[in-house]
């Protein structure tokens, strides 16, 4: 019993009732203008539904009055956008006609069912006055027992019709196939952006922490004041650079629509190599080709790949001799980082590690490829990124 009464305690039941009443206002306004041809309002609604902005207005009104979520886009299930295609327009026309029919039905019941209750009470007392369209025969006392039934029927009609109009709204005013595809693409872009930000934090902060740990350990082991001074300077510079990267990422998180700017590129490789050298590693570098011809997206990702490869060296092999090669030739960027293997079994890191996996994901995102693993007695990270594909990537 309580389950049937619960809808009567919910505000959305009465806002749906109001929504149906509003549709009848159009007929009332039309009758004031032309009371001889009220049926023309049906054609008027059909033409109105073809106007793109009408779907926007109907969607906003339906969100506000038919659902419990109000204007919250992701939860209402009702679109609030102008018609973008002819199918959207015809769905809007059908929606307006169905809403008008249901509105007329519930308005009729709202007026006449309470009137019928009044008539039943009056007939039971012998009063001949009538308010409803139903002509009650005689004046029987037991009419009073039937008086609550029209009100119960009205409440059932209000709840049922409100539920029905909501279902119709979800079908006819819900997102079209194009809108669902656009929403899916937007969601995908958001997930890719979050994934990229996660890589940014992992590469930058992970590199800074690795350098700091290696520097601190080496300074304590040597006990040399001059080396300790250099180590502290390197830790300070690396930490400051990591804080700058962190601030840029936080700006993106705070303002999701703002593109990332000022991220390091291959032009900042010297700073990265010096940071590794300050950690005690002997780093040899070879840069060939026109670095200025590398598009922004691939240059930024190339920097992060080299950064992660050097971090991997310091983390697993320590301050060892490392060779870095960056070459631009034949429409592609080639990155290679080589260092001695760190363990007797010929492994360095794990293929499932987040760092090496991140390198492969970055390369695949730009249409390139990456190989990591033992190579001729050394550990090699080799990445090739096509410049023509990456040139089309936008921030």
């Amino acid at each position: 019993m309580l389950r049937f009464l619960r809808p009567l305690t919910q505000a959305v039941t009465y806002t749906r009732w109001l929504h149906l009443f509003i549709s009848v206002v159009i007929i009332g306004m039309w009758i004031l203008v032309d009371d001889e041809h009220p049926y023309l309002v049906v054609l008027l609604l059909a033409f109105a539904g073809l106007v793109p902005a009408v779907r926007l207005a109907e969607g906003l009104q339906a969100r506000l009055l038919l659902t419990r979520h109000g204007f919250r886009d992701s939860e209402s299930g009702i679109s609030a956008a102008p018609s973008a295609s002819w199918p959207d327009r015809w769905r809007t026309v059908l929606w307006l006609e169905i809403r008008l029919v249901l509105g007329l039905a519930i308005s009729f019941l709202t007026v006449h069912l309470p009137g019928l209750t009044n008539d039943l009470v009056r007939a039971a007392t012998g009063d001949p006055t009538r308010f409803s369209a139903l002509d009650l025969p005689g004046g029987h006392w037991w009419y009073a027992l039937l008086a609550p039934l029209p009100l119960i029927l009205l409440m059932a009609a209000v709840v049922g019709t409100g539920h029905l109009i909501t279902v119709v709204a979800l079908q006819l005013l819900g997102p079209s196939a194009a809108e669902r595809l656009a929403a899916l693409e937007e969601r995908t872009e958001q997930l890719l952006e979050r994934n990229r930000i996660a890589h940014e934090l992992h590469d930058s902060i992970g590199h800074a922490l690795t350098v700091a740990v290696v520097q601190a350990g080496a300074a304590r082991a040597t006990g040399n004041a001059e080396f300790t001074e250099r180590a502290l300077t390197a830790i300070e510079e690396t930490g400051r650079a990591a804080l700058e990267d962190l601030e840029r990422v936080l700006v993106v998180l705070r303002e999701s629509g703002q593109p990332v700017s000022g991220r390091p590129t291959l032009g900042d490789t010297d700073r990265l190599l010096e940071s590794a050298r300050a950690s005690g590693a002997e780093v040899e570098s070879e840069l060939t080709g026109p670095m200025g011809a590398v598009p922004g997206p691939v240059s930024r990702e190339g920097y992060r790949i080299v950064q992660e490869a050097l971090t991997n060296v310091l983390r697993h092999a320590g301050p060892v001799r490392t060779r870095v090669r960056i070459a631009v030739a034949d429409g592609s960027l080639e990155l290679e980082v080589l260092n001695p293997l760190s363990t007797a079994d010929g492994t360095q890191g794990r293929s499932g590690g987040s760092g090496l996996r991140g390198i492969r994901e970055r390369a695949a995102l730009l249409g390139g490829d990456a190989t990591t693993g033992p190579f001729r007695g050394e550990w090699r990270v080799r990445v090739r990124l096509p410049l023509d594909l990456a040139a089309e990537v936008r921030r």
Side-chain angles (χ1 to χ4, degrees):
M1 184 64 179
L2 293 177
R3 187 181 68 177
F4 295 104
L5 295 178
R6 188 176 298 116
L8 301 181
T9 65
Q10 297 172 344
V12 70
T13 298
Y14 303 98
T15 58
R16 290 170 178 173
W17 196 358
L18 175 61
H19 182 270
L20 291 168
F21 265 128
I22 293 175
S23 63
V24 183
V25 173
I26 300 175
I27 292 184
M29 295 175 61
W30 179 260
I31 291 177
L32 291 176
V33 176
D34 184 3
D35 58 353
E36 296 182 357
H37 305 91
Y39 56 86
L40 291 179
V41 73
V42 177
L43 296 178
L44 179 64
L45 285 177
F47 284 111
L50 298 178
V51 178
V54 170
R55 183 167 180 263
L56 170 61
E58 290 294 318
L60 290 173
Q61 187 182 126
R63 279 185 181 180
L64 179 63
L65 298 178
L66 295 184
T67 71
R68 296 181 177 86
H69 307 291
F71 287 111
R72 283 179 286 179
D73 302 9
S74 61
E75 299 177 357
S76 67
I78 297 175
S79 176
S83 300
S85 62
W86 280 104
D88 286 346
R89 291 182 173 93
W90 291 120
R91 290 166 66 199
T92 305
V93 171
L94 183 58
W95 157 257
L96 291 173
E97 302 296 347
I98 292 177
R99 182 186 175 189
L100 177 61
V101 171
L102 293 179
L104 287 172
I106 199 65
S107 298
F108 178 85
L109 295 177
T110 300
V111 172
H112 290 279
L113 287 179
L116 180 57
T117 294
N118 180 77
D119 291 353
L120 288 170
V121 173
R122 288 180 175 272
T125 59
D127 189 340
T129 307
R130 298 291 183 267
F131 291 94
S132 68
L134 185 62
D135 185 19
L136 296 175
H140 305 288
W141 64 268
W142 48 265
Y143 280 169
L145 300 178
L146 301 177
L149 293 181
L151 296 180
I152 295 174
L153 179 60
L154 175 61
M155 290 297 100
V158 167
V159 173
T161 309
H163 179 73
L164 176 60
I165 193 64
T166 304
V167 172
V168 173
L170 292 173
Q171 294 297 319
L172 299 180
L173 297 180
S176 63
E179 290 172 333
R180 287 194 296 270
L181 179 60
L184 179 60
E185 291 176 349
E186 181 180 358
R187 177 60 177 166
T188 301
E189 288 298 325
Q190 291 175 349
L191 292 176
L192 288 175
E193 180 68 7
R194 288 179 178 273
N195 190 49
R196 188 195 59 74
I197 289 175
H199 283 312
E200 288 285 331
L201 288 175
H202 174 270
D203 293 348
S204 179
I205 307 303
H207 174 77
L209 291 176
T210 299
V211 169
V213 169
V214 172
Q215 290 278 17
R220 184 176 60 180
T222 59
N224 184 288
E226 183 180 351
F227 184 84
T228 300
E229 180 67 23
R230 291 200 306 271
L232 291 175
T233 301
I235 291 173
E236 179 184 4
E237 293 176 351
T238 303
R240 184 178 294 109
L243 287 175
E244 293 174 358
D245 290 341
L246 179 60
E247 179 61 27
R248 282 191 289 267
V249 171
L250 292 178
V251 168
V252 175
L253 291 175
R254 287 193 296 264
E255 303 176 21
S256 58
Q258 178 178 334
V260 179
S261 60
R263 283 191 286 153
T265 64
L266 289 176
D268 302 300
T269 303
D270 288 341
R271 185 186 72 178
L272 186 61
L273 299 179
E274 286 301 320
S275 175
R277 292 188 181 108
S279 299
E282 180 185 347
V283 181
E284 299 177 3
S285 60
E286 178 185 350
L287 281 71
T288 59
M291 294 296 165
V294 180
V298 73
S299 184
R300 290 189 290 270
E301 295 304 310
Y303 176 91
R304 291 304 186 192
I305 288 172
V306 174
Q307 183 183 55
E308 178 55 39
L310 289 175
T311 301
N312 192 60
V313 172
L314 294 172
R315 181 180 295 125
H316 296 286
V320 297
R321 181 173 177 269
T322 306
R323 302 198 307 277
V324 178
R325 185 175 68 87
I326 303 176
V328 179
D330 300 328
S332 64
L333 170 68
E334 291 189 5
L335 307 170
E336 188 176 50
V337 179
L338 295 159
N339 67 276
L341 288 171
S342 60
T343 59
D345 61 356
T347 62
Q348 176 178 316
R350 298 293 179 188
S351 60
S354 58
L356 298 181
R357 184 172 63 249
I359 290 176
R360 290 190 288 269
E361 289 176 355
R362 287 179 184 274
L365 186 63
L366 294 178
D369 56 80
T371 56
T372 60
F375 178 76
R376 296 179 181 177
E378 296 182 301
W379 182 270
R380 181 177 73 165
V381 173
R382 184 177 181 276
V383 178
R384 187 192 65 83
L385 302 175
L387 301 184
D388 53 346
L389 178 63
E392 300 178 1
V393 178
R394 296 293 182 262
R395 289 183 179 181

